[in-house]
Each structure stands twice: as structure tokens, then as C-alpha cells.
Amino acid sequence: MQNDMDKTQFFCEYYRQWIEIYKRGAIREATMAKYLMTQKWLEKLIPELKVEELTRTAYQQLLNDYAKEHERQTTLDFHHQLKGAILDALDEGMIKRDPTRKAIIKGKTPRAKKIKYLNQFELHTLLADLELKETPDWDWFLLLVAKTGMRFSEALAITPEDFDFSRQTLSISKTWDYKGAGGFLPTKNKSSVRKIQIDWQIVVKFSELIKNLPQDQPIFVGESKIYNSTVNNILSRHCKECGISEISIHGLRHTHASLLLFAGVSIASVARRLGHASMTTTQKTYLHIIQELENKDVDLVMRTLSGL
């Protein structure tokens, strides 16, 4: 890159070189894909803007144009992915001033997003419809996700040695690279490394299911490539057969969290169980459920005070 550094080169080309040198191999493939998508947007929005022409005004216009088609949070992510490359260009003397300083982040109004989850009756109905055979299959996988709230990639990576049946725990310390070539990957964040308490039904059923399986090999991964859509289709078929709301495999994770919250489990405990980096993530995701619970709390407070 040293030989190619030229302030008269197009910024989108400079950015392409930058992510190849500084990001390729240093970040997860899913994150790398986001940087590559940012590069494509640069090629679309400022294909002929030179590095030396990247002033505060030009940069703000770039953000404004991107924000026309994206929500504010997405525009903020776009800004953060560009900023590292721009600051490096500043350090190299390719630009004189930091064009990202005091940048204004705009964006389309977010659509109201209501998470899809099953109520307790619907979940009971779904689990009763599962056909649990003598060997692991996707019905067993659905049962485990419903009972633990694990992410799809986390559940794929579960091996027999992750179970501690005597302590009724399941260790989550890795994920499965189902989007790539397969194999174990680190968890989403440090908070995702955790031990989940499992109920006695899971202990009894899974201790029998996995007793003859290789201890360090994924329970649900075979030789063929795994697609998220395959499992979603199986779950959708079960939902249709039961006459309940159709949800995705991620919806089972939401269902798990929602039932715990409605049962009175604290947000802090739910956040730890889900592997969220902070309670803020849990609060944002389940805001409408928390608001419903707060309304119930107000009624409880009033009844309690009236009885004094």
C-alpha cells in the first residue's frame, strides 16, 4: 500500500486497499462482509472522489446521501467503518484535516419492529409436536434452542462435552461457521461465553441421546453444509401443523427470553442467559414486553398501597 498511497487516487480505491491490508484476516468474516458492503456504497455514491478532495463538506454529503436509504443506526455504522481509514489517511498526510470531525448522522425513521415470539401455550403446543427420535436431528435442535435461548450458531457448535449433567449446566464457548466453510469460531462477544442452567427434562433426554457420540464433535452438524433456511422451514412446518404463529429459529430465542421476563426473571439474569453484552441490549430488544410488565407492576403497586 505504501507504493500506492497517492492523495490523487479515488477514495473508494484507497478504502478497498485499506480494508484488505488492515481488516482482512483480523476480523470475523461476517464483519468483513460489512466493510466490503461499505466499499460498494462508496463506489456507488462517490466513484470519482479523490482522497485529497475529501473535505468535511464532501464527507457530510456522502453521509447524507447514504442516509436517504438507511436508518440512522445503519448510517452511524457506515460512518464508523469509514472513520478508521480516513484517520489513517490523515496520519499519512494524504489529507490535511479530519473530514469526519463534527459529522452529523442522519437517517430514515426506523420502522416499528415488533419481535415475533410464541406465548407459553403455543410453545407447549410446538414442543409436543416435535418427533424426538433416538438420534439427534433438527427436532432435537429446536427443543434445545427453545429451552436455552441460544443463538443459532451457538447451538450448532454444541458438543457432548459441553454438557455437565451433574451440575445441570451447558457451556457455551464457541459458535459454528455455518455461513462459511464450517468449523468452530469464537462467540459473538466475551459476554457470550457463559454457562446456562438446564432443566431436568433436558438432562434426562440429552444424557441418553449423546452418550455414544464423540465428545468433541458438534451434535447437530453432519457432512453436508447447513443453512439457516433449512431449520426455519422445519420450524415453520411444525408451526403450521400446530395452528400457531409462524416464527423463525431466532424467534425461538425471543420466545425463551419473553417467557422468562413474563415469569418475573430479572432483566440482568435474562441478559446473562442470552449472552448479551449489556442489559441495554436486552432492554432495547424486549422494550414492549418490559413496558407491559411495568403496567402490571403499577397495578400491583396500587393494590399493595390500597391494602395498607
Side-chain angles (χ1 to χ4, degrees):
M1 189 168 182
Q2 291 291 330
N3 297 330
D4 295 333
M5 281 197 303
D6 178 2
K7 62 184 180 181
T8 63
Q9 74 179 136
F10 296 139
F11 178 71
C12 59
E13 178 60 22
Y14 165 79
Y15 187 75
R16 184 191 66 76
Q17 293 174 332
W18 182 84
I19 59 177
E20 286 297 326
I21 289 173
Y22 292 103
K23 296 300 177 182
R24 177 77 71 183
I27 55 178
R28 295 177 61 161
E29 281 301 314
T31 309
M32 185 65 181
K34 294 177 182 177
Y35 276 92
L36 293 174
M37 183 58 68
T38 294
Q39 181 208 333
K40 286 184 179 180
W41 273 100
L42 292 180
E43 292 172 353
K44 178 182 178 181
L45 297 174
I46 51 166
E48 297 182 354
L49 183 77
K50 296 175 182 177
V51 175
E52 64 180 355
E53 297 171 340
L54 196 62
T55 62
R56 278 187 63 201
T57 304
Y59 184 70
Q60 186 64 59
Q61 187 59 56
L62 168 64
L63 292 181
N64 292 351
D65 291 341
Y66 183 83
K68 290 176 184 176
E69 299 183 45
H70 298 87
E71 294 179 9
R72 187 182 183 280
Q73 183 58 52
T74 311
T75 306
L76 184 61
D77 293 341
F78 179 73
H79 164 63
H80 286 154
Q81 289 185 338
L82 291 173
K83 192 168 182 178
I86 292 171
L87 292 180
D88 280 352
L90 181 67
D91 288 344
E92 296 292 346
M94 300 174 74
I95 48 179
K96 294 180 180 179
R97 296 182 181 85
D98 178 10
T100 68
R101 191 175 68 88
K102 294 185 178 180
I104 306 299
I105 308 300
K106 304 174 185 177
K108 295 196 302 183
T109 303
R111 290 173 296 173
K113 295 174 184 174
K114 190 164 185 178
I115 60 171
K116 282 191 173 183
Y117 63 93
L118 303 177
N119 60 38
Q120 192 163 1
F121 171 76
E122 288 176 318
L123 181 60
H124 277 303
T125 306
L126 171 66
L127 297 183
D129 193 60
L130 298 179
E131 189 177 345
L132 302 176
K133 300 174 183 175
E134 293 183 1
T135 54
D137 61 10
W138 293 124
D139 277 22
W140 280 104
F141 183 86
L142 295 176
L143 174 66
L144 190 62
V145 172
K147 290 271 194 170
T148 61
M150 282 187 288
R151 297 178 178 94
F152 181 66
S153 59
E154 292 173 343
L156 287 176
I158 292 298
T159 62
E161 65 186 4
D162 292 326
F163 286 92
D164 185 338
F165 295 121
S166 61
R167 291 184 172 85
Q168 287 190 223
T169 61
L170 176 60
S171 295
I172 297 171
S173 58
K174 56 197 177 301
T175 62
W176 187 259
D177 182 22
Y178 70 94
K179 291 181 179 177
F184 294 118
L185 288 175
T187 54
K188 187 174 182 180
N189 51 57
K190 289 182 180 179
S191 303
S192 297
V193 178
R194 61 202 189 277
K195 289 186 189 297
I196 294 179
Q197 288 293 138
I198 50 178
D199 64 84
W200 65 270
Q201 289 180 327
I202 289 293
V203 169
V204 171
K205 291 179 178 179
F206 271 81
S207 58
E208 183 66 24
L209 180 72
I210 66 175
K211 64 181 180 181
N212 296 320
L213 298 179
Q215 287 295 297
D216 60 350
Q217 296 300 309
I219 297 169
F220 299 103
V221 176
E223 295 181 3
S224 57
K225 185 170 174 59
I226 294 167
Y227 296 95
N228 185 278
S229 58
T230 302
V231 187
N232 279 333
N233 289 339
I234 292 170
L235 175 55
S236 181
R237 175 172 54 78
H238 277 298
C239 291
K240 286 178 181 176
E241 289 173 356
C242 295
I244 60 177
S245 307
E246 283 187 54
I247 60 167
S248 65
I249 189 71
H250 200 69
L252 267 188
R253 176 171 159 88
H254 289 321
T255 298
H256 181 83
S258 303
L259 292 181
L260 293 181
L261 289 169
F262 278 122
V265 178
S266 72
I267 296 173
S269 295
V270 173
R272 281 196 298 272
R273 192 169 174 87
L274 294 180
H276 282 164
S278 72
M279 282 192 292
T280 305
T281 305
T282 316
Q283 288 170 323
K284 284 181 179 177
T285 307
Y286 301 101
L287 180 62
H288 70 284
I289 294 173
I290 293 167
Q291 287 172 339
E292 285 182 50
L293 292 171
E294 285 176 347
N295 291 336
K296 289 182 180 179
D297 285 345
V298 170
D299 293 338
L300 180 59
V301 168
M302 289 301 101
R303 286 201 304 273
T304 303
L305 293 177
S306 297
L308 294 178

